[in-house]
Amino acid sequence: MSLPLEGLSAVVTGAGRGLGRAEALELARLGAAVVVNDFGQPGRDGSGEASAAPAEEVAAEIRAAGGKALSHTGDVADFRQAGELIRLAIAEFGKLDVLVNNAGILRDRMVFSMTEEEWDSVIRVHLKGHFNTTHFAAAHWRERSKAAGGAVYGRIVNTSSEAFLAGSAGQPNYAAAKGGIVGLTTSTALALAKYGVTANAICPRARTRMTEDVFAGLERLEGGLDPLAPEHVAPLVGYLASPAAARVNGQLLVVHGGMVAVVERPRVAAKFDSKQDTFTYDELDALLTAHYAQHPAGETFAAAEVLGLKRG
């Protein structure tokens, strides 16, 4: 029986632990040859000495199960090293078909206490890291499409967060980066659709090294799979990487514990027209103050509350 990703190659960033590891294993289980990327720093804040061990251990696990995999320990937030990662996949497997961007760090702080370095470092790893690999993968697919005279196969799965959807008071850098990733995803989806490439983003909730304090009060269930296990997220990534998801493009999906929710793009909740050439202060006061008296701003998060979304 053929596997849905058989004959395809994939790059998964931040794949030495947690979500990335589960995603790399799932893509390999579905038949893909995988380049496992991880910078290997032990601290969730990006601290500590880099190590090749996490990436190589996952690659070895895939090979031991009969799959094809190799490791890469470069920093995807470095433009040159991100290019080397994509070129490695192409050189080893002949082409790149799937890119899963997952690498990230945390530097949590309230906005009034956050340092410039804490802001820059999180934006660099999450948002710039997503852009770097996407840039080189997109150039590869565009070049292949021109050579083929038509569409090629390409899938991008980016990692956003519920911190972007519902807000996260102590994570202004992380929430901003994750919001930026959604913008990058939708722009990329529009730009690459004509080449046969799709780009989507997920908001996963899982118990990992990065979220250990967030879910510290939620105990693991006795027996069965932990509702917050990364393995609940990996199947959606496998699906989005597959031919079956050809019509899924520019989408944002929330996933955790056996649930997948498709998030709509923002919709206009109310519209007001000025009775003059332009609004006056008094007119805006009369219209908007009355509107928010009837519809408090907190109702903006009603959809998030229905989904049970919290910081993550």
Side-chain angles (χ1 to χ4, degrees):
M1 183 179 70
S2 63
L3 298 170
L5 302 185
E6 191 169 7
L8 302 181
S9 65
V11 164
V12 184
T13 71
R17 305 176 179 90
L19 275 172
R21 174 183 175 275
E23 292 163 353
L25 292 176
E26 177 68 5
L27 296 183
R29 188 187 71 80
L30 296 177
V34 183
V35 179
V36 179
N37 164 266
D38 200 287
F39 199 33
Q41 290 177 307
R44 67 174 186 168
D45 61 351
S47 63
E49 187 174 347
S51 169
E56 181 51 37
E57 286 172 4
V58 176
E61 186 175 354
I62 291 172
R63 293 193 296 266
K68 296 179 181 179
L70 65 153
S71 61
H72 178 271
T73 57
D75 177 8
V76 295
D78 180 280
F79 192 71
R80 178 185 59 81
Q81 293 182 56
E84 291 173 353
L85 169 61
I86 300 303
R87 288 190 290 271
L88 174 64
I90 297 167
E92 185 71 19
F93 303 124
K95 59 183 172 60
L96 175 66
D97 301 295
V98 178
L99 170 62
V100 179
N101 285 309
N102 173 73
I105 63 170
L106 290 178
R107 299 280 178 90
D108 292 354
R109 193 88 62 184
M110 298 297 284
V111 68
F112 43 77
S113 303
M114 181 164 288
T115 66
E116 181 181 14
E117 192 278 332
E118 287 167 339
W119 173 271
D120 288 348
S121 61
V122 170
I123 297 296
R124 175 183 180 273
V125 175
H126 286 275
L127 186 52
K128 186 181 178 185
H130 272 60
F131 162 73
N132 286 346
T133 53
T134 297
H135 166 80
F136 290 105
H140 167 65
W141 287 320
R142 180 171 179 264
E143 185 177 311
R144 280 177 51 202
S145 176
K146 286 188 172 183
V152 297
Y153 190 97
R155 299 284 187 270
I156 299 173
V157 182
N158 288 331
T159 306
S160 183
S161 171
E162 295 169 289
F164 152 69
L165 281 175
S168 184
Q171 296 181 304
N173 49 3
Y174 182 72
K178 292 306 188 181
I181 286 168
V182 174
L184 171 65
T185 302
T186 54
S187 175
T188 301
L190 290 172
L192 300 187
K194 64 181 179 181
Y195 302 119
V197 178
T198 66
N200 296 286
I202 63 171
C203 292
R205 187 191 303 179
R207 196 192 305 274
T208 68
R209 182 179 52 137
M210 284 183 61
T211 61
E212 56 190 358
D213 62 331
V214 179
F215 302 124
L218 299 179
E219 297 182 0
R220 301 171 189 267
L221 296 180
E222 292 290 336
L225 188 63
D226 179 0
L228 291 172
E231 287 75 16
H232 286 297
V233 175
L236 176 61
V237 174
Y239 166 75
L240 292 173
S242 76
R247 295 185 179 182
V248 185
N249 195 27
Q251 299 298 298
L252 178 64
L253 301 100
V254 176
V255 54
H256 62 83
M259 183 215 76
V260 172
V262 178
V263 179
E264 287 187 334
R265 295 192 180 189
R267 293 184 297 170
V268 175
K271 180 177 177 292
F272 305 98
D273 296 309
S274 175
K275 295 179 180 179
Q276 298 82 230
D277 289 338
T278 187
F279 280 107
T280 64
Y281 170 85
D282 289 339
E283 189 178 17
L284 287 172
D285 179 28
L287 292 170
L288 295 180
T289 301
H291 170 74
Y292 283 111
Q294 296 179 12
H295 307 281
E299 292 183 5
T300 302
F301 300 108
E305 293 166 0
V306 169
L307 291 174
L309 306 186
K310 297 179 181 179
R311 173 189 165 199

